[in-house]
Amino acid sequence: MNERSPKRSFAARPTDPESWIKASDTPSARGSAEGGYSARLTIDVTSDLRGRIKIAAFQRGVTVADMLRELLAREFPTIEGDPS
């Protein structure tokens, strides 16, 4: 009864980390279909702020992700000559 199931769980670590790391360099179908987003940004916010962000996005009729992408693009515009 104490044996582990051979089935991998959702958060199981890869058996070969090198191939797992290299696999992240290949573009995903989802990323290319949605404008080429290639990185995920994680920030810690209070639950109160998270609620205000979600309400603002809902009132504007956009997703939180789209609203924050627009905000970040506006605050950090592409500088001519940057290798982005």
Side-chain angles (χ1 to χ4, degrees):
M1 214 159 154
N2 289 351
E3 284 186 42
R4 288 184 163 235
S5 168
K7 184 173 125 180
R8 288 182 62 175
S9 67
F10 174 75
R13 292 187 175 151
T15 56
D16 181 18
E18 279 302 312
S19 66
W20 180 67
I21 291 168
K22 290 176 185 174
S24 69
D25 293 338
T26 59
S28 69
R30 181 176 181 216
S32 61
E34 294 183 12
Y37 304 123
S38 62
R40 182 173 300 268
L41 176 65
T42 303
I43 60 169
D44 295 322
V45 296
T46 63
S47 57
D48 182 52
L49 177 57
R50 180 177 179 262
R52 293 196 316 263
I53 292 168
K54 289 175 75 171
I55 289 170
F58 179 77
Q59 289 172 336
R60 297 173 189 184
V62 297
T63 65
V64 170
D66 287 340
M67 184 179 76
L68 293 177
R69 281 186 200 110
E70 184 180 313
L71 173 98
L72 291 170
R74 186 174 62 242
E75 291 297 317
F76 303 99
T78 303
I79 299 171
E80 195 172 319
D82 263 359
S84 3

